[in-house]
Amino acid sequence: MTSTAQPPASGARNAHPDHLGHIIFITAAAAMGGFLFGYDSSVINGAVEGIRGKYDVGSATLAQVIAIALIGCAIGAAAAGRIADRIGRIYVMRIAAALFTISAVGSALPFALWDLAIWRVLGGIAIGMASVIGPAYIAEVAPPAYRGRLGSFQQGAIVLGIAVSQLVNWAILNWADGDQRGKVLGIEAWQVMLGVMVVPAVIYGMLSFAIPESPRFLISVGKTGRARAILADVEGKNVDLDARVAEIEHAMHSEHKSTFKDLLGSRFGFLPIVWVGIGLSVFQQLVGINVAFYYSATLWQSVGIDPSESFFYSFTTSIINIIGTVIAMLFVDRIGRRPLALIGSTGMAIALAFEAWAFSADLVDGKLPHTQGIVALIAAHTFVLFFALSWGVVVWVFLGEMFPNRLRAAALGVAASAQWIANWAITASFPSLADWNLSGTYVIYTFFAVLSIPFVLKFVKETKGKTLEEMG
């Protein structure tokens, strides 16, 4: 039954848990899915050339094997919410952990290229599930007074996972004397790189047994007593638990389940606000950011940099990504989402233009000239920094805030799907584009970075300081 009466005040908004360290542990355990999201997404960077050599495939085929995981991501993201509502958030984490583990083992020991592709799809499904269930669980478990800071654990875990994957790849490559196909533990180095993911996957699965189910889910299935105990644990014993349970029940009964039909307008298919969300998602990918995380080792080797050094630069790029993400977290609520996006677009456009110029030089003995090589390295790191401190974070903040309540869930789903599709397009096209003209490829990315500036100025409204209700 849907209630229109206001629930009694619970005091949860200003409540502080008795054991904050325990809350941080719960949040960090859930964010382990974000770590695996980042790790599994970028670990392939170290295996690209090994896979090319092992199976003697061209750039187009190789790109499909790399990009096919994104199909799994879309499937996992679409399915995670429904599964979580049926069996619980914790069980979804365990399913994702199992899929990460199976994918790691299968990718390390493939029989042929076709089954490597299957293992990557499974890993992609796990990524998609982790991308949804982590933030949802943290939002439902975190005390309201700490929700914003604890919610940032997911994004921090993702960029940390990216960095650790590149560090591990670099260490394994050095173990194999700089040869991606060199023997390590009886198999080729690139296989070990993909297989190491089994370690954080197993840890993620084990941690899922050490944290409680979401009180919101427990209330939805009638387990109110267990939900009360968890609420007392995570929000403090001074909270009025009866009122808190009533508050959650009221919110659940009052929710409008948005559907795809709600997003349709009389002109241009979707409502204008939905197109803005799609535009933000697509621009985030069309600047070519995932080239830096999926192909950077291959990119540097293609312009004559030693494999070991190319892996090291992939790691340093990941560290820059972490620094940029921290900057965004510090300033997104101070200077606003829109200014940060404009700063990022400007910085990315300039950096990408310098990369395009550097890659336009003729190779000398298989290498870029010294000046162009230095410029390319600095520009690549600068590009990642400006992306991380802006579009890497603010797009998700915008998507979480910009839609009216009645549209939010469905609109966010459409925007996220558009992001995966754009990600796939960039990932699948880069090897062939790079074979065609590496400098020209970066001119394309520069064009999209420049185009994002008038898009933000004309269509994107600031959401800083507004309540979600004001978006309606």
Side-chain angles (χ1 to χ4, degrees):
M1 178 183 293
T2 300
S3 172
T4 57
Q6 293 298 317
S10 65
R13 179 180 295 273
N14 299 314
H16 296 274
D18 299 322
H19 306 290
L20 183 58
H22 179 55
I23 306 303
I24 292 173
F25 169 77
I26 292 173
T27 304
M32 190 70 185
F35 178 90
L36 280 158
F37 177 167
Y39 194 102
D40 193 23
S41 296
S42 60
V43 70
I44 193 67
N45 186 18
V48 172
E49 292 307 306
I51 293 171
R52 189 199 299 270
K54 172 75 172 179
Y55 298 107
D56 191 24
V57 294
S59 294
T61 301
L62 179 67
Q64 294 307 316
V65 174
I66 305 304
I68 199 170
L70 299 171
I71 296 174
C73 291
I75 295 171
R82 292 181 179 271
I83 297 173
D85 284 340
R86 288 180 177 271
I87 65 175
R89 283 57 165 155
I90 297 298
Y91 279 110
V92 173
M93 292 182 193
R94 291 171 188 169
I95 292 171
L99 291 175
F100 275 125
T101 303
I102 294 168
S103 172
V105 174
S107 297
L109 303 170
F111 299 107
L113 195 62
W114 64 266
D115 73 301
L116 175 60
I118 291 175
W119 304 128
R120 285 193 49 70
V121 171
L122 286 180
I125 293 173
I127 291 172
M129 296 178 81
S131 72
V132 170
I133 201 60
Y137 174 85
I138 292 170
E140 292 178 356
V141 174
Y146 295 93
R147 185 171 294 140
R149 281 165 285 183
L150 293 176
S152 68
F153 273 44
Q154 175 80 357
Q155 181 64 23
I158 292 171
V159 297
L160 182 62
I162 292 171
V164 171
S165 73
Q166 301 312 302
L167 179 61
V168 171
N169 284 351
W170 180 50
I172 292 172
L173 186 74
N174 283 319
W175 189 0
D177 297 323
D179 183 2
Q180 291 179 46
R181 298 196 59 195
K183 293 295 182 180
V184 175
L185 301 176
I187 55 178
E188 295 186 6
W190 67 269
Q191 294 175 267
V192 177
M193 293 175 189
L194 299 182
V196 165
M197 191 181 66
V198 75
V199 176
V202 170
I203 294 173
Y204 182 40
M206 294 173 64
L207 286 172
S208 72
F209 287 92
I211 59 178
E213 181 54 86
S214 158
R216 183 184 175 93
F217 171 74
L218 292 171
I219 291 172
S220 73
V221 295
K223 297 182 179 180
T224 306
R226 178 62 182 148
R228 286 167 56 90
I230 294 171
L231 286 169
D233 191 32
V234 300
E235 295 187 2
K237 296 177 180 178
N238 294 325
V239 172
D240 184 338
L241 296 178
D242 289 332
R244 187 72 179 101
V245 170
E247 189 177 27
I248 294 172
E249 289 178 332
H250 174 80
M252 292 171 64
H253 293 159
S254 302
E255 283 178 349
H256 169 70
K257 299 289 186 181
S258 57
T259 66
F260 185 79
K261 288 183 179 180
D262 295 327
L263 308 182
L264 301 179
S266 58
R267 299 176 61 190
F268 309 118
F270 291 122
L271 294 168
I273 190 65
V274 179
W275 281 118
V276 174
I278 291 171
L280 285 167
S281 291
V282 169
F283 272 118
Q284 188 197 53
Q285 297 300 316
L286 293 185
V287 296
I289 185 59
N290 279 311
V291 169
F293 299 131
Y294 299 163
Y295 295 114
S296 61
T298 296
L299 172 65
W300 296 126
Q301 289 173 55
S302 72
V303 293
I305 292 178
D306 177 81
S308 182
E309 289 186 10
S310 72
F311 275 54
F312 177 72
Y313 293 141
S314 295
F315 170 62
T316 57
T317 300
S318 300
I319 296 300
I320 294 295
N321 188 32
I322 293 175
I323 294 171
T325 300
V326 172
I327 293 173
M329 290 177 177
L330 292 175
F331 287 98
V332 70
D333 284 324
R334 295 185 183 182
I335 68 173
R337 294 83 163 112
R338 199 164 173 263
L340 214 52
L342 292 170
I343 291 169
S345 292
T346 304
M348 288 190 295
I350 294 171
L352 287 166
F354 273 104
E355 283 195 81
W357 172 79
F359 290 135
S360 68
D362 293 329
L363 301 184
V364 179
D365 296 327
K367 297 183 178 181
L368 282 175
H370 179 72
T371 299
Q372 282 84 349
I374 295 297
V375 169
L377 283 171
I378 294 174
H381 285 72
T382 303
F383 164 62
V384 171
L385 176 65
F386 274 96
F387 175 86
L389 64 79
S390 60
W391 286 73
V393 171
V394 299
V395 167
W396 288 109
V397 176
F398 268 129
L399 294 180
E401 296 176 338
M402 66 187 289
F403 300 117
N405 284 332
R406 68 183 188 281
L407 305 177
R408 184 167 295 114
L412 186 53
V414 168
S417 296
Q419 191 172 124
W420 286 119
I421 292 169
N423 189 343
W424 173 84
I426 292 297
T427 304
S429 64
F430 176 75
S432 296
L433 286 173
D435 286 349
W436 160 69
N437 189 315
L438 185 57
S439 177
T441 301
Y442 274 84
V443 169
I444 294 172
Y445 300 154
T446 303
F447 169 77
F448 284 116
V450 171
L451 193 61
S452 69
I453 297 174
F455 173 79
V456 171
L457 288 172
K458 183 171 179 59
F459 298 111
V460 180
K461 296 180 180 179
E462 181 59 75
T463 59
K464 173 191 172 187
K466 296 182 179 180
T467 66
L468 295 182
E469 287 67 34
E470 289 179 285
M471 302 302 165

